[in-house]
Amino acid sequence: MEDKKGLDPAGTEFKSDSSSSWTLAGPDSVSDSINYFFDRESSILSEFGWNILQPDHADEIESFGELDRTDASRGLAGNFSGSQSQSCGAAGGVGGSCSGAASNPVGSAEVPTSNPSVSSSSSEDPPEKSTGFGGKPPEIPSRVRKKGQKRIRQPRFAFMTKSEVDHLEDGYRWRKYGQKAVKNSPFPRSYYRCTNSKCTVKKRVERSSEDPTIVITTYEGQHCHHSVGFPRGGLISHEPAFAGQFTPRVSQFYYSQGVQLHRGISPSTTQSQQLPIEVRESRALPEPTSQLPKYEGLLGDIVPPGMRKT
DNA sequence: CGAGTTTGACCAGCGC
DNA sequence: GCGCTGGTCAAACTCG
């Protein structure tokens, strides 16, 4: 049960899937590599409004995953300040989540895309009306969204956690707004959004069809407010009551079970840690034996220090 | 009674 | 153009 396909017994190889693997350059580089991921992860997560702390023990980390860039042309390409993210609005920027780097004009770091028609995304670009998350909320309900008005994706990241609980505590409060059966998976996918009315962060939770003990959580967007509570004393809350309530549970998840980051970094993020990342999971989780070239291509661009691709 | 969940329907995007 | 699928809505329902 503890064994994961992504990590060999020696703990020196990380696999995103059967098509690609990461091999540490040397034993000494293990912790460095872990630190690399978590330093970056903390940075990245903080961009999303989370302050995930680094685990105490590197061996708790079981694997790092892949990401899908298939939708890059639609979701990235300078659209972090897209229409949906505008609703962070006036509330924004408590702790800087919604402002600052969050509104970093990603367009300045051009994101390579496999889709040559990425330029078409310019039609989606809000013409500088909003400054990142400082704009006004979308006034048109998506249900009444006009035809041709594309759904703007926010940057995403996902991670996998070995847990029997579907909905992991992360210090924020979530409201479930949908559940849907997923193709090729016996487990439904649940859709959550942050209960903060000014926050548009969404979260998808599903179980891996390959390993039902693994929960795949995908966050989309950035919180524009503090969390209610935070693991291991790193409380941001102004409400001690809540803080005390959440701390122990979350700590257990993040540090006893470890956080499995299932993510990717857009090539541009290797140049600027200020940039949020976009992680897209595939429409259907890849079969163990199936290969998604798009993953491979992207992973090839991301080689953490001390690691080499095999 | 308010907040959260469930669930069927609707819509948009994508691939063929 | 059509069908499939993911994502979202919203009414009904449950719970505290």
Side-chain angles (χ1 to χ4, degrees):
Chain A
M1 281 291 266
E2 292 303 309
D3 286 350
K4 296 286 303 302
K5 325 176 200 172
L7 179 65
D8 71 13
T12 57
E13 183 174 19
F14 297 90
K15 289 183 180 179
S16 58
D17 57 27
S18 60
S19 67
S20 182
S21 64
W22 299 96
T23 303
L24 297 177
D28 292 341
S29 65
V30 172
S31 59
D32 285 347
S33 296
I34 299 301
N35 287 337
Y36 169 81
F37 272 107
F38 275 88
D39 285 348
R40 292 186 55 90
E41 209 62 51
S42 306
S43 167
I44 291 164
L45 290 174
S46 67
E47 299 297 332
F48 285 84
W50 284 280
N51 293 320
I52 303 299
L53 300 179
Q54 183 172 330
D56 289 335
H57 308 292
D59 57 6
E60 289 176 350
I61 302 166
E62 298 182 10
S63 70
F64 294 98
E66 70 276 10
L67 85 159
D68 179 4
R69 296 277 308 160
T70 60
D71 227 353
S73 63
R74 192 175 54 190
L76 206 54
N79 274 333
F80 289 126
S81 56
S83 62
Q84 290 192 355
S85 58
Q86 295 174 356
S87 50
C88 251
V94 178
S97 298
C98 246
S99 57
S103 58
N104 187 344
V106 181
S108 64
E110 295 176 5
V111 179
T113 173
S114 59
N115 188 342
S117 65
V118 61
S119 58
S120 66
S121 67
S122 61
S123 61
E124 304 168 20
D125 285 346
E128 315 223 341
K129 283 184 181 169
S130 73
T131 56
F133 291 81
K136 57 185 177 185
E139 296 179 1
I140 306 173
S142 60
R143 194 72 172 257
V144 201
R145 196 185 294 115
K146 287 182 181 177
K147 205 167 187 179
Q149 199 170 3
K150 290 183 180 179
R151 189 174 297 171
I152 306 299
R153 298 278 185 196
Q154 296 202 38
R156 298 180 176 184
F157 75 90
F159 60 86
M160 301 167 69
T161 305
K162 195 160 192 153
S163 171
E164 295 179 1
V165 182
D166 283 345
H167 193 191
L168 306 177
E169 292 288 356
D170 57 10
Y172 291 91
R173 298 189 67 196
W174 301 90
R175 167 178 291 187
K176 188 175 185 177
Y177 67 91
Q179 177 172 308
K180 196 149 178 74
V182 182
K183 190 189 175 189
N184 294 331
S185 174
F187 306 102
R189 174 181 296 161
S190 298
Y191 298 89
Y192 298 87
R193 64 167 56 107
C194 186
T195 55
N196 187 315
S197 59
K198 294 171 184 170
C199 182
T200 58
V201 176
K202 293 170 192 169
K203 167 164 113 170
R204 285 193 328 226
V205 177
E206 61 192 294
R207 286 198 173 272
S208 169
S209 59
E210 302 166 20
D211 185 349
T213 65
I214 292 178
V215 177
I216 302 171
T217 306
T218 304
Y219 291 98
E220 177 175 340
Q222 294 177 285
H223 290 284
C224 56
H225 57 98
H226 285 325
S227 62
V228 176
F230 197 75
R232 198 175 265 199
L235 298 173
I236 313 171
S237 174
H238 302 293
E239 303 177 46
F242 275 108
Q245 177 180 345
F246 278 109
T247 301
R249 293 179 63 186
V250 182
S251 300
Q252 185 173 4
F253 271 121
Y254 285 138
Y255 299 110
S256 294
Q257 300 188 0
V259 178
Q260 300 180 3
L261 296 163
H262 187 86
R263 52 152 284 204
I265 310 167
S266 68
S268 61
T269 62
T270 60
Q271 299 168 359
S272 170
Q273 295 193 2
Q274 295 299 316
L275 295 176
I277 59 169
E278 184 202 49
V279 173
R280 293 266 312 165
E281 72 291 348
S282 58
R283 282 180 176 263
L285 287 172
E287 296 294 331
T289 54
S290 68
Q291 297 187 4
L292 296 178
K294 289 165 185 171
Y295 286 5
E296 254 191 326
L298 181 64
L299 286 170
D301 293 328
I302 307 164
V303 182
M307 300 183 81
R308 66 173 185 273
K309 194 170 182 226
T310 56

